[in-house]
């Protein structure tokens, strides 16, 4: 298991309602991301960066989370949208 780089409050992260994803800048230049679905359904609190090994712990209360929209392909579209956001930040 890798070490947690930082603990970040939920309100310090950016929320994208279209992808239902929280993001936070990573020191490598990319972004940490965590899916709302994972936070709501399994209590996930670790956001990962797709470009490096750093991880952050997201500090939140369940009542602070927005309502989860159910979509048939939310996982695949969220991942691709996060990758798009990541590419734009690197440019």
């Amino acid at each position: 298991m890798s070490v947690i780089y930082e603990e970040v409050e939920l309100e310090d992260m950016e929320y994208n309602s279209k992808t239902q994803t929280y993001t936070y800048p990573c020191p490598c230049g990319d972004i940490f991301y965590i899916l709302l679905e994972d936070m709501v359904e399994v209590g996930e609190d670790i956001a990962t960066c797709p470009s490096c090994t750093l991880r952050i712990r997201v500090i939140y209360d369940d009542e602070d989370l927005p309502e989860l929209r159910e979509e048939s392909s939310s996982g695949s579209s969220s991942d691709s949208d996060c990758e798009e956001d990541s590419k734009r930040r690197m440019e």
Side-chain angles (χ1 to χ4, degrees):
M1 177 175 271
S2 61
V3 177
I4 301 300
Y5 169 71
E6 186 176 359
E7 290 188 344
V8 177
E9 297 283 338
L10 185 67
E11 60 264 13
D12 294 332
M13 299 183 77
E14 186 175 318
Y15 180 65
N16 181 320
S17 60
K18 178 182 174 194
T19 62
Q20 298 190 84
T21 306
Y22 280 94
T23 59
Y24 188 78
C26 181
C28 79
D30 205 341
I31 56 170
F32 294 104
Y33 73 94
I34 187 169
L35 300 174
L36 176 62
E37 180 179 18
D38 292 342
M39 297 168 80
V40 170
E41 293 183 359
V42 296
E44 181 65 69
D45 66 347
I46 303 298
T48 59
C49 175
S51 296
C52 71
T53 60
L54 294 179
R55 301 166 5 132
I56 59 172
R57 181 175 314 281
V58 181
I59 308 300
Y60 68 95
D61 292 321
D62 290 337
E63 60 267 10
D64 295 334
L65 297 175
E67 187 174 326
L68 179 63
R69 290 187 328 271
E70 294 297 326
E71 296 178 21
S72 60
S73 62
S74 65
S76 62
S77 65
S78 294
D79 289 344
S80 64
D81 287 342
C82 284
E83 290 172 11
E84 295 276 331
D85 288 345
S86 175
K87 289 176 185 173
R88 273 184 255 139
R89 287 178 190 251
M90 295 182 114
E91 293 177 346

